[in-house]
Amino acid sequence: MAGTGTAVFFHAHPDDEALLTAGTMAMLSAQGYRVVLVVATAGERGLADLAPGEELGEARMAELYKSAALLGCARVVRLGYADSGLGADGGIAEDRPENAFIDADSEEAAQRLAAVLKEESAELLTIYDPAGGYGHPDHVQVHRVGKRAAEIAGTPIVLEATVNRDPLLRALRLVSKFYRFPDNFDIRSFESGYSPGEVITHRVNVRRYAKQKRASMAAHATQTAGGDGDRTLAMFLKIPWPLFRLVFGTEWYVRRDLPPGTRLKHPFDPAPKSPESGVTPT
């Protein structure tokens, strides 16, 4: 499938693109689409073991550029907000920095993103689902800001990058038989995270691009160590190749302007016609 047009992928921090949308990005780039990666922050509040004098934000942005190159991105944009971090309870951190993304004026942030969308004449924008996937405050803000930016710029296709939590739970339970999860990793938290299969409109087969997805994950080396115990990204990279390709071979999206039950396989697939009226729903 040869394509033309531009897709903008909006993420909160470096490494989010590797986990949620890397396969789709690599696929679209290979098919001729222009792929632009936008991050709200440099992820400077993440955990990492760094060499003396090394700044985490700078290191993570360097990793992001490496990941973007592996995925075929034509451009990387950082909106310039500070990483909001996470509180001890997994919610909003009380000690967040000035200019934290979660505290940004949503309209002002949306205007920044809309400027990129307009400059690129983007036909498609990816954001997160309303819960921000697993609930990180910056991810929730990505949903709000991205949704509004698409309205301002008139971007016609908005896809919420998510995970089908039904097979996710099955996969995590399978992996748990072979690997020990970090102590702070609770499978039960995924029972209410991301999106149920019934609302997902796009199931994108990216198995052909699983090597690029794995390389994108590996590019974020600072996120494979630091803190107590193994990090989630490091654990994913230890999964044997055949199982990795199976577990990470599909990426999921929700397009809210399509009717329930829609089943599409490509981000740029046209909206289906209503069987009752024969007209495309709006």
Side-chain angles (χ1 to χ4, degrees):
M1 180 177 182
T4 59
T6 299
V8 173
F9 289 77
F10 182 35
H11 288 282
H13 320 99
D15 89 351
D16 290 332
E17 87 292 344
L19 293 166
L20 279 175
T21 65
T24 305
M25 296 165 75
M27 179 188 74
L28 291 179
S29 176
Q31 292 174 347
Y33 293 92
R34 178 175 170 85
V35 175
V36 176
L37 173 58
V38 179
V39 289
T41 81
E44 65 273 18
R45 299 264 288 176
L47 297 173
D49 293 329
L50 298 176
E54 189 174 11
E55 294 290 337
L56 181 55
E58 293 179 2
R60 293 195 71 183
M61 284 302 298
E63 292 170 347
L64 183 73
Y65 278 103
K66 181 178 180 180
S67 168
L70 290 165
L71 299 176
C73 295
R75 181 185 179 191
V76 176
V77 179
R78 176 185 169 192
L79 292 188
Y81 294 100
D83 183 352
S84 304
L86 277 175
D89 60 354
I92 299 175
E94 294 184 1
D95 63 340
R96 58 192 182 276
E98 292 185 12
N99 197 36
F101 185 49
I102 190 63
D103 295 325
D105 180 86
S106 295
E107 187 69 16
E108 188 273 341
Q111 291 286 353
R112 290 192 192 184
L113 178 58
V116 177
L117 296 173
K118 291 177 182 178
E119 183 179 351
E120 292 288 347
S121 300
E123 292 93 345
L124 183 150
L125 171 69
T126 73
I127 56 176
Y128 302 142
D129 56 35
Y134 65 93
H136 191 296
D138 281 345
H139 288 223
V140 176
Q141 183 77 318
V142 161
H143 173 80
R144 289 193 292 256
V145 169
K147 183 179 179 181
R148 176 59 182 144
E151 293 173 352
I152 295 170
T155 305
I157 301 174
V158 179
L159 301 183
E160 297 174 5
T162 187
V163 174
N164 185 336
R165 68 170 174 242
D166 305 332
L168 171 65
L169 286 169
R170 292 195 296 270
L172 289 174
R173 289 166 183 148
L174 174 63
V175 170
S176 70
K177 295 180 179 180
F178 301 94
Y179 297 94
R180 183 177 180 274
F181 287 110
D183 293 337
N184 62 351
F185 188 91
D186 186 357
I187 291 178
R188 293 173 297 178
S189 66
F190 289 88
E191 293 175 357
S192 58
Y194 297 103
S195 303
E198 62 192 30
V199 306
I200 290 173
T201 57
H202 291 67
R203 291 160 175 79
V204 183
N205 184 340
V206 297
R207 290 183 185 179
R208 182 176 178 181
Y209 304 94
K211 288 185 178 179
Q212 288 97 317
K213 180 160 183 154
R214 188 163 184 149
S216 173
M217 290 185 185
H220 295 282
T222 61
Q223 299 309 291
T224 61
D228 298 326
D230 291 336
R231 300 291 300 279
T232 301
L233 190 59
M235 179 193 68
F236 288 160
L237 289 169
K238 292 178 182 177
I239 298 174
W241 171 245
L243 184 57
F244 181 95
R245 188 171 180 270
L246 175 65
V247 171
F248 293 101
T250 303
E251 291 177 349
W252 295 272
Y253 301 90
V254 179
R255 182 172 167 182
R256 299 287 173 179
D257 63 336
L258 298 183
T262 299
R263 296 291 183 268
L264 299 177
K265 297 180 179 180
H266 191 279
F268 282 94
D269 277 347
K273 293 184 177 181
S274 167
E276 293 83 9
S277 64
V279 298
T280 302
T282 59

